[in-house]
Amino acid sequence: MAFRTEKEAIRVRYLLGDLSEQERVDIEESYFADDNSFQELEVIEDELVDAYVHGELAGADQQQFEKLLQSSARLAGRVQFARILANRVGSMSPTPETDAVVPAVATERPARSKDTQTWWQKIFGVPQAGRKFAFAGSAVTVLMAAALLFAWMQLRGSSQRLERERAALQQQREGLNAQSSEQNSKINQLAADLERERNLRAEDQKLIESLRNDSANETASPSRSIAFLFLPSATTRGASGTGGTVTLRPGQSIVRLSLLLPADEYKSYEATITNQDKQPILSRKGLRSRRIGSDSQITFQFSAASFSSGDYFVSVSDASGLETIVGYGFRLVRAR
Amino acid sequence: MREEVQPKEKLITPAMDSPLHVKKEHWALTQTAFDNLLRRFASNRDEAAKQYESLRRKLVRFFEWRALDVPEECADETIDRVARRLEEGTEIENVAAYSYGVARKVFRERIRRRETTVVELENAREVPAPTVTEDPELDERFHCFDRCLSNLPEDKRTLIIDYYQDEKRAKIDLRNQLAEKLSIPLNALRIRVHRIRINLESCVNQCLKLKE
């Protein structure tokens, strides 16, 4: 596909998603500031779609375009429209007024002097009376052959175009099949993860049961080393408040903290515990959420050796630590 | 009396008593906020509506060209945020440039969300491969196209037919001649044809919707 200026070629690359971020921003700033620039870009999109439909895109551009086509319903609609336009308008005769325009091309050619011989006169010389019929016959034959050749070339062109379209469709189909199998393998992987999570949950459940039993016999075995705290109700962003209390009995040094998430939008999270003076005491990164029924929660445990009795605040942020998602307050009490 | 122009495709919630006290994630565009936004475009409401439509179109294209799958939703989210800033009293000198900045932010957020989206395991199903099939509506498309083309004014119909006669003649030569004939530069011709094409395309799409 040949574009008139370098600027247009860059815009084609923009539409194909083929530019650096800075180059994209330059073009976008320009079309947000200027309606003409935006309209030019839309015109170039028309021409890009037409070039694709006529099989005029270079290999890499065609592939890139087809990639976009798979993800954009609007673009697919535009391609469909361009095919109909090419089919319908291409099969219509140009208006007589345009026919009148066309001879102007012929007049631009250098005028031939009247006494200049035509190419067949050069070959055969000036035709004599006896040759006239034979020559006329030959001329008709040549014209018919030319017409046949022209028709054959037209057919060949159409057939090649159809072949290109068929190949593009085949490629598209293969791409979609590949996507589908990739998706299926992802699902299998996720199903395996789910199974693993279920097993872990079952183990946790057993552990909780066992701890409950231990708790019932607290006097008999007062020195379990882990204390549990579940903070079910997440407070709104940045807010604080006491959501629960964990009591550390003598000998207990580990706290296992489970936090219910209001929404599960990230792959991993960071949790930070701060004291009343907002001094960070502990931070855990790379925490992954677990789904329990329709809820998601993150769980981690920490040594409470350096924690004195008092109120604490846990903030949960995304993996980068930049956006705080939710906060929980809790109270830690050391039993004597 | 002339009817007031209401820009298309924008859903506005009934006015709220105190939108400023609504949490960020629950903020919704009110009629007052929208009117405020329109006033920033132009004092004449028709002109303002035109500029609003132009900005929205640019936003939709921006998200499409950046390959997001819900461009219209993203464009509306951008407009909502700009309207909210205006309502909060933020000084915005150039609404288009400011909207572009907000659109980039929305884009980054959507990309981040897309990357972290987890397939709902409980509802996971095997995804059947989409198949490319023959278009069963081809005849209807042709029918709609012919009808829309015949409904175009004569001069526009002639122009678009002549412009796309590329299979039969040298495309560039013909288009240059058309531009000369109309006494306009080639670029102006391209834009003129583009506008006719957009109208034709929209007419065909509407015709197909009616047939559904």
Side-chain angles (χ1 to χ4, degrees):
Chain A
M1 182 188 184
F3 277 94
R4 292 163 190 80
T5 61
E6 193 188 342
K7 187 179 159 194
E8 286 187 359
I10 290 173
R11 285 168 182 231
V12 170
R13 305 247 65 80
Y14 171 75
L15 293 173
L16 290 172
D18 220 9
L19 292 182
S20 69
E21 182 59 23
Q22 188 50 53
E23 286 169 318
R24 278 178 168 195
V25 169
D26 289 346
I27 289 178
E28 286 158 0
E29 280 178 347
S30 136
Y31 74 69
F32 267 91
D34 175 22
D35 288 348
N36 289 335
S37 173
F38 178 66
Q39 208 158 41
E40 280 168 21
L41 203 53
E42 285 197 309
V43 170
I44 290 171
E45 191 189 48
D46 282 352
E47 292 172 0
L48 185 63
V49 168
D50 288 340
Y52 171 72
V53 166
H54 291 293
E56 291 167 3
L57 289 183
D61 289 351
Q62 185 169 326
Q63 280 177 5
Q64 188 66 21
F65 188 88
E66 277 162 2
K67 213 169 129 188
L68 294 174
L69 206 52
Q70 282 176 10
S71 61
S72 167
R74 185 191 74 97
L75 194 57
R78 300 217 69 203
V79 165
Q80 220 160 25
F81 176 80
R83 286 210 167 101
I84 292 170
L85 182 70
N87 181 301
R88 285 320 230 198
V89 173
S91 65
M92 288 174 188
S93 300
T95 58
E97 284 177 16
T98 325
D99 280 339
V101 173
V102 178
V105 178
T107 59
E108 284 168 16
R109 290 185 193 134
R112 207 168 40 222
S113 64
K114 280 181 184 171
D115 56 356
T116 309
Q117 288 182 325
T118 55
W119 61 271
W120 64 86
Q121 285 172 327
K122 280 178 185 163
I123 295 169
F124 298 110
V126 178
Q128 293 168 6
R131 282 188 192 156
K132 278 185 179 172
F133 284 115
F135 178 76
S138 307
V140 168
T141 311
V142 168
L143 284 174
M144 281 174 69
L148 280 170
L149 180 66
F150 178 73
W152 176 78
M153 284 172 73
Q154 289 279 84
L155 271 172
R156 192 162 162 259
S158 303
S159 147
Q160 282 173 341
R161 198 172 62 248
L162 282 171
E163 181 55 30
R164 277 197 300 271
E165 285 186 9
R166 196 196 61 76
L169 280 172
Q170 178 64 26
Q171 202 173 9
Q172 200 177 358
R173 188 184 290 130
E174 282 165 8
L176 290 170
N177 284 337
Q179 265 185 351
S180 163
S181 53
E182 191 186 332
Q183 190 79 359
N184 285 336
S185 93
K186 256 188 206 166
I187 289 169
N188 290 339
Q189 176 64 39
L190 289 168
D193 288 349
L194 175 66
E195 191 52 41
R196 216 169 17 254
E197 287 292 327
R198 275 186 183 141
N199 292 339
L200 276 172
R201 213 164 86 187
E203 281 173 24
D204 283 354
Q205 209 59 44
K206 277 184 199 164
L207 185 61
I208 289 166
E209 277 305 313
S210 133
L211 287 165
R212 274 188 189 140
N213 293 338
D214 288 349
S215 174
N217 303 319
E218 197 176 344
T219 46
S221 58
S223 59
R224 299 296 304 180
S225 61
I226 301 177
F228 288 81
L229 177 61
F230 176 68
L231 295 176
S233 162
T235 55
T236 50
R237 290 168 196 252
S240 61
T242 304
T245 302
V246 59
T247 306
L248 289 178
R249 293 188 300 275
Q252 282 186 322
S253 58
I254 305 289
V255 176
R256 188 177 166 96
L257 196 56
S258 293
L259 308 169
L260 187 71
L261 294 172
D264 191 4
E265 295 177 338
Y266 297 91
K267 265 186 186 165
S268 65
Y269 298 84
E270 180 176 339
T272 305
I273 301 179
T274 49
N275 62 15
Q276 276 174 307
D277 301 320
K278 296 184 180 169
Q279 294 298 315
I281 310 232
L282 180 141
S283 177
R284 284 274 189 280
K285 289 184 178 180
L287 298 171
R288 289 186 180 272
S289 65
R290 292 171 49 193
R291 287 191 76 81
I292 297 181
S294 58
D295 297 326
S296 294
Q297 67 176 51
I298 55 174
T299 301
F300 64 100
Q301 57 186 42
F302 59 90
S303 163
S306 58
F307 283 66
S308 53
S309 292
D311 288 340
Y312 293 89
F313 184 77
V314 192
S315 64
V316 174
S317 58
D318 65 323
S320 66
L322 293 176
E323 189 181 347
T324 300
I325 299 157
V326 66
Y328 308 80
F330 73 93
R331 177 161 294 159
L332 187 140
V333 178
R334 287 192 175 276
R336 295 182 188 279
Chain B
M1 202 175 116
R2 222 150 66 119
E3 205 178 324
E4 276 198 341
V5 172
Q6 185 67 259
K8 292 176 283 182
E9 298 177 43
K10 192 72 206 161
L11 293 173
I12 301 164
T13 57
M16 288 189 262
D17 291 331
S18 179
L20 287 174
H21 294 106
V22 178
K23 280 181 196 166
K24 186 177 175 181
E25 54 269 40
H26 296 134
W27 190 88
L29 187 65
T30 61
Q31 185 65 55
T32 317
F34 187 62
D35 288 345
N36 195 17
L37 173 69
L38 282 186
R39 272 196 297 276
R40 292 303 308 266
F41 287 120
S43 53
N44 175 299
R45 199 168 166 89
D46 284 354
E47 178 56 27
K50 212 169 125 190
Q51 287 191 32
Y52 164 82
E53 287 296 339
S54 164
L55 175 66
R56 188 175 181 278
R57 188 177 169 86
K58 286 178 184 178
L59 287 168
V60 172
R61 291 288 175 275
F62 164 77
F63 289 112
E64 272 173 3
W65 289 333
R66 289 242 172 183
L68 280 190
D69 51 1
V70 282
E72 304 229 337
E73 187 185 304
C74 294
D76 287 338
E77 187 180 336
T78 305
I79 288 170
D80 285 1
R81 289 194 194 184
V82 174
R84 178 172 183 248
R85 292 286 168 232
L86 282 170
E87 193 172 53
E88 286 171 349
T90 306
E91 279 298 317
I92 300 175
E93 273 188 30
N94 182 335
V95 178
Y98 187 84
S99 301
Y100 170 58
V102 175
R104 291 191 63 201
K105 194 165 185 293
V106 170
F107 170 74
R108 283 195 298 269
E109 288 171 8
R110 292 280 175 151
I111 288 293
R112 196 170 58 181
R113 206 181 300 172
R114 190 162 71 181
E115 283 167 357
T116 55
T117 298
V118 178
V119 174
E120 281 293 329
L121 288 171
E122 301 293 345
N123 300 326
R125 298 271 188 281
E126 294 231 333
V127 180
T131 48
V132 181
T133 53
E134 296 282 315
D135 184 358
E137 294 170 349
L138 199 60
D139 281 347
E140 284 184 358
R141 285 178 195 282
F142 281 147
H143 175 73
C144 282
F145 181 88
D146 292 345
R147 215 171 81 182
C148 290
L149 187 69
S150 65
N151 284 340
L152 282 179
E154 177 71 32
D155 57 334
K156 290 184 177 171
R157 186 169 61 243
T158 305
L159 183 58
I160 201 160
I161 291 173
D162 290 348
Y163 189 84
Y164 286 109
Q165 285 294 321
D166 51 348
E167 289 295 308
K168 295 181 178 171
R169 304 169 188 205
K171 192 161 52 183
I172 296 170
D173 280 351
L174 181 67
R175 291 178 182 179
N176 279 325
Q177 287 161 29
L178 271 174
E180 264 178 43
K181 188 184 142 204
L182 296 167
S183 309
I184 53 173
L186 184 59
N187 260 349
L189 173 68
R190 289 164 79 202
I191 288 172
R192 197 176 284 187
V193 172
H194 165 72
R195 286 185 188 143
I196 302 173
R197 180 179 171 145
I198 289 290
N199 286 338
L200 189 59
E201 198 172 335
S202 145
C203 171
V204 171
N205 289 337
Q206 276 176 9
C207 168
L208 287 168
K209 265 185 199 160
L210 286 176
K211 280 179 182 285
E212 277 173 9

